[in-house]
């Protein structure tokens, strides 16, 4: 076959797990209980979680105003994930509803008491929004609203997954950001078009430690 490029250099560090800032997970069952609207803001380039805020829009209308103001401050292009824990509608007022609708939601204005709901969107691009709600039945058997949205970045693709549920007598939310499909992109200094799918490569550090080398299949 044709000669293959023998070696080259990385133009960036290969991060642990394939993501520049690593994967991220949040679970209301093991973290602070946070009734109402829970919001994560994710950097669209690195997949890093930039901010997390809870707004108890069940207990206090001022939290609804704070939610609307917080959405205003999110830079355009950032990924926004929202989920309901417990209930979020009793004090959810019009300004917050309109701000969430502007992100791309079509369901937020019709949510009812204790209804599980999840949303992922991109600030400034309503067409990118995905959401799911399920009818509230009771605290024991209602079920789980869940979505996974996949985004592309320079290191490959990553998933943003959110859930909201009423099961077994309790409400629970989870949120995670992780590499999609366990595959990622490496950026190299030279033209490697001679490499083909199925070829094996070794990523090695500049150290002399043989334990710092890993083999991968393209």
């Amino acid at each position: 076959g044709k000669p293959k490029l023998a070696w080259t250099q990385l133009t960036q560090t290969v991060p642990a797990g394939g993501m520049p800032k690593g994967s991220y997970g949040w679970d209301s069952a093991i973290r602070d209980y946070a009734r109402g609207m829970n919001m994560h803001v994710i950097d669209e380039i690195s997949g890093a979680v930039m901010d997390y805020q809870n707004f108890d829009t069940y207990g206090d209308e001022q939290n609804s105003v704070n939610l609307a103001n917080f959405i205003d401050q999110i830079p355009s292009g950032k990924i926004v994930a929202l989920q309901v824990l417990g209930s979020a509608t009793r004090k959810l007022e019009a300004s917050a509803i309109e701000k969430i609708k502007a992100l791309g939601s079509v369901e937020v204005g019709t949510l009812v008491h204790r209804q599980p709901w999840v949303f992922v969107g991109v600030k400034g691009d309503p067409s990118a929004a995905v959401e799911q709600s399920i009818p509230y039945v009771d605290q024991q058997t209602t079920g789980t609203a869940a979505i996974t949205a996949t985004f592309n970045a320079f290191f490959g693709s990553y998933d943003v997954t959110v859930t909201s549920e009423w099961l077994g007598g309790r409400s629970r939310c989870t949120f995670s950001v992780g590499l999609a499909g366990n595959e990622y992109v490496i950026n190299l200094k030279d033209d490697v078009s001679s490499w083909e799918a199925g070829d094996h490569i070794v990523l090695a550090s500049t150290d002399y430690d043989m334990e710092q080398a890993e083999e991968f299949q393209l």
Side-chain angles (χ1 to χ4, degrees), residues 4-8 186 188 192-197 199 201 218:
K4 296 180 184 289
L5 183 71
W7 71 278
T8 185
I186 56 173
L188 303 173
V192 294
S193 58
S194 61
W195 296 359
E196 299 176 330
D199 286 350
I201 62 171
L218 301 177

Side-chain angles (χ1 to χ4, degrees), residues 3 39 47 66 76 98 101 140 143 153 161 172 184 192 196 210:
M39 176 181 289
N66 294 343
S76 181
E98 291 306 311
K101 284 183 177 179
Q140 297 295 325
T161 301
R172 180 187 178 194
Y184 56 94
V192 294
E196 299 176 330
M210 64 178 292

Side-chain angles (χ1 to χ4, degrees), residues 4-5 22 41-42 55 77 104 107-108 124 126-127 147 150 160-161 175 177 187 197 200:
K4 296 180 184 289
L5 183 71
V41 180
I42 304 105
F55 302 93
E107 298 183 14
V108 66
S127 66
I147 53 175
T150 302
V160 176
T161 301
F175 166 85
V177 180
N187 294 287
H200 289 256

Side-chain angles (χ1 to χ4, degrees), residues 151-194:
F151 298 91
N152 297 316
F154 68 92
F155 59 85
S157 300
Y158 61 95
D159 292 333
V160 176
T161 301
V162 286
T163 71
S164 170
E165 71 180 27
W166 269 104
L167 279 175
R170 69 172 184 172
S171 179
R172 180 187 178 194
C173 288
T174 65
F175 166 85
S176 65
V177 180
L179 201 66
N182 294 319
E183 297 179 355
Y184 56 94
V185 174
I186 56 173
N187 294 287
L188 303 173
K189 181 179 180 180
D190 300 301
D191 179 4
V192 294
S193 58
S194 61

Side-chain angles (χ1 to χ4, degrees), residues 39-77:
M39 176 181 289
H40 290 82
V41 180
I42 304 105
D43 182 68
E44 73 280 18
I45 297 173
S46 68
V49 176
M50 301 173 60
D51 205 346
Y52 161 74
Q53 296 289 328
N54 165 253
F55 302 93
D56 184 4
T57 53
Y58 177 83
D60 187 350
E61 189 169 312
Q62 183 58 47
N63 285 317
S64 186
V65 175
N66 294 343
L67 170 57
N69 292 337
F70 183 77
I71 292 174
D72 274 341
Q73 297 169 12
I74 298 172
S76 181

